Amino acid sequence: GPKVLQIPSHQIIDMGQMVTLNCDPVSNHLYFYWYKQILGQQMEFLVNFYNGKVMEKSKLFKDQFSVERPDGSYFTLKIQPTALEDSAVYFCASSLDWGEQYFGPGTRLTVL
Amino acid sequence: AQKVTQTQTSISVMEKTTVTMDCVYETQDSSYFLFWYKQTASGEIVFLIRQDSYKKENATVGHYSLNFQKPKSSIGLIITATQIEDSAVYFCAMREGGAGANTGKLTFGHGTILRVHP
């Protein structure tokens, strides 16, 4: 199926630092998403993004989080500053419309 | 608020048999979309199959099919002729709202671990 890429696969940083997670969505997709998965638990929606704007965000999408996709480049999730509870696997997804979403392999973020 | 529940924590089956995984959902919307994904041992999340709430016919893709029971708010996943490589965690997910709804948010269940033995 369609491939979504994520860089890096694993990131370790100290609490309080900034981190940027990168996503390369499927080329013709228009909608972009971030989800968070803590080990062994369900995936939880963070945010969706369309036409340069945040469409919807959950309560997990704290003020320290931001997303952007400057002109066809990576769709990014930035966390500044990071906290211990931000440690999780972050999955990017994209979709052509409001149908099925295709997920990347995830970025494992470890905040020390 | 929307909710998706998968009551089976794990299932073990023998290869080449049929397995059914349960999922029930809660929504106030009259129109919604249901999805099944699997997460492999490597962490990869793969889209499997989808059911639109307004469709009465159960969706089928390859050896995956759905048992959609709308009055029971239930969407079971059926895998026929299971293979070793079907071993994974299976997630049920729901998106509320029709095609014109302004959200793509997926709400996921906790997942069911499927182990297929030779």
Side-chain angles (χ1 to χ4, degrees):
Chain A
K3 293 292 186 187
V4 174
L5 305 177
Q6 288 187 243
I7 300 168
S9 58
H10 194 175
Q11 180 88 49
I12 302 173
I13 58 170
D14 291 324
M15 182 176 62
Q17 286 190 315
M18 180 193 77
V19 67
T20 300
L21 309 184
N22 299 292
C23 172
D24 188 9
V26 178
S27 60
N28 62 335
H29 284 186
L30 301 175
Y31 299 82
F32 313 112
Y33 314 81
W34 285 103
Y35 291 83
K36 177 181 181 181
Q37 185 181 38
I38 295 175
L39 187 63
Q41 298 184 23
Q42 72 200 114
M43 291 224 293
E44 295 188 275
F45 170 81
L46 288 175
V47 65
N48 67 33
F49 190 85
Y50 168 73
N51 199 25
K53 299 174 189 174
V54 170
M55 300 296 288
E56 182 182 9
K57 56 186 180 181
S58 73
K59 60 185 178 186
L60 295 178
F61 193 79
K62 303 180 295 183
D63 291 343
Q64 298 91 321
F65 288 35
S66 63
V67 291
E68 64 176 359
R69 192 188 186 212
D71 291 332
S73 61
Y74 288 141
F75 174 51
T76 62
L77 173 65
K78 182 185 292 185
I79 309 174
Q80 181 179 27
T82 50
L84 294 176
E85 60 265 27
D86 296 331
S87 293
V89 180
Y90 291 84
F91 288 95
C92 172
S94 69
S95 64
L96 182 60
D97 49 29
W98 286 132
E100 57 269 18
Q101 297 171 22
Y102 292 88
F103 286 77
T107 294
R108 181 176 298 279
L109 176 65
T110 303
V111 181
L112 303 175
Chain B
Q2 62 270 35
K3 186 177 179 182
V4 176
T5 302
Q6 294 177 253
T7 55
Q8 301 155 305
T9 304
S10 66
I11 302 174
S12 288
V13 300
M14 300 301 291
E15 193 179 13
K16 300 177 186 174
T17 60
T18 295
V19 64
T20 299
M21 281 175 268
D22 301 330
C23 175
V24 293
Y25 55 89
E26 295 175 26
T27 179
Q28 302 299 318
D29 282 7
S30 57
S31 182
Y32 48 89
F33 301 83
L34 301 161
F35 306 88
W36 278 91
Y37 288 84
K38 78 175 190 180
Q39 186 169 29
T40 65
S42 67
E44 182 186 10
I45 298 170
V46 180
F47 165 70
L48 297 177
I49 192 168
R50 156 185 173 176
Q51 180 79 38
D52 299 350
S53 64
Y54 60 88
K55 292 184 177 178
K56 294 184 178 177
E57 191 171 311
N58 289 324
T60 298
V61 175
H63 75 146
Y64 303 108
S65 61
L66 297 177
N67 179 18
F68 181 40
Q69 299 183 57
K70 196 169 182 179
K72 295 183 179 180
S73 296
S74 170
I75 184 73
L77 173 68
I78 303 166
I79 308 176
T80 56
T82 51
Q83 303 162 13
I84 302 296
E85 50 268 34
D86 290 324
S87 297
V89 181
Y90 288 79
F91 290 98
C92 178
M94 174 175 67
R95 177 176 90 74
E96 287 185 314
N102 202 25
T103 176
K105 170 186 173 182
L106 290 180
T107 299
F108 284 84
H110 280 84
T112 296
I113 301 169
L114 175 66
R115 297 186 179 91
V116 182
H117 301 283

